[in-house]
Amino acid sequence: GVSNDPLDVFRSKLDASDEYRYNALRLFVKYDTNGDGSIDESELKICLATEPLFQTGLPQDFSSKIVSVMSKGKGIGPEEFLSVVRGQRSTPDEAQRLLSDAREEQVFSAYEACRELTSEYAKTFFLATLAMEAPKAKATWAIYAWCRRVDEIVDGPDVDPDPAVQRAALEEWNSRLERMYKGEADNT
């Protein structure tokens, strides 16, 4: 028979659709904030607490069930994550293919967000980028977005006027940048 359990319904949708499995792995990529290829307990708890997908219709103990599957002190990789949310094993090839697609989508979405920011706040500059080859235009949009984000730290509409607060925000930005240069991704 067909189960009415929300977790079973969720899992059957994952089984029936590459798109659902792909979207589940998009969450994996998004919440693997340190870029180590696994989601640890704290990353998973943030995902489960903030994603609308996990906010409606799932059993109260859904989060604790998933966390209980994790090895203490270790995270879960993309294959395990997909298997846990599906309730059945995923093949390594399937998980890697979907994870690769999810990572490509994350990069595409990031460039798209940079394009939108540039087109909204630097119209003439944006129009000039349209004359560039696509890879150069994307890189230019990303540079503009980066510069704008830094500028917003000290010059944005909601900035605390206290120079100490601004200095701390710039130091945090610089720390994130240094971590990225070291290969310690920060997807937040």
Side-chain angles (χ1 to χ4, degrees), residues 104-169:
E104 285 178 23
E105 173 64 25
Q106 185 182 39
V107 171
F108 175 81
S109 295
Y111 277 125
E112 184 60 22
C114 293
R115 185 194 69 74
E116 289 173 6
L117 184 77
T118 306
S119 71
E120 183 175 346
Y121 293 101
K123 292 178 185 353
T124 305
F125 185 76
F126 175 73
L127 288 173
T129 65
L130 297 179
M132 299 177 174
E133 295 175 16
K136 288 182 181 179
K138 288 179 179 180
T140 304
W141 301 332
I143 291 168
Y144 174 81
W146 186 86
C147 292
R148 182 162 178 89
R149 295 286 187 242
V150 173
D151 183 61
E152 291 290 318
I153 292 171
V154 295
D155 217 10
D158 300 321
V159 170
D160 189 314
D162 182 353
V165 172
Q166 293 176 7
R167 196 172 2 289

Side-chain angles (χ1 to χ4, degrees), residues 8-50:
D8 289 340
V9 171
F10 174 73
R11 286 177 166 167
S12 69
K13 287 181 179 182
L14 285 171
D15 285 340
S17 168
D18 267 354
E19 183 179 353
Y20 270 84
R21 290 189 297 277
Y22 164 73
N23 285 331
L25 285 180
R26 283 182 60 203
L27 294 178
F28 179 89
V29 169
K30 179 179 178 181
Y31 288 97
D32 178 19
T33 56
N34 63 5
D36 68 354
S38 67
I39 294 184
D40 63 27
E41 188 172 341
S42 65
E43 291 168 326
L44 182 62
K45 284 182 177 178
I46 292 168
C47 174
L48 295 173
T50 57

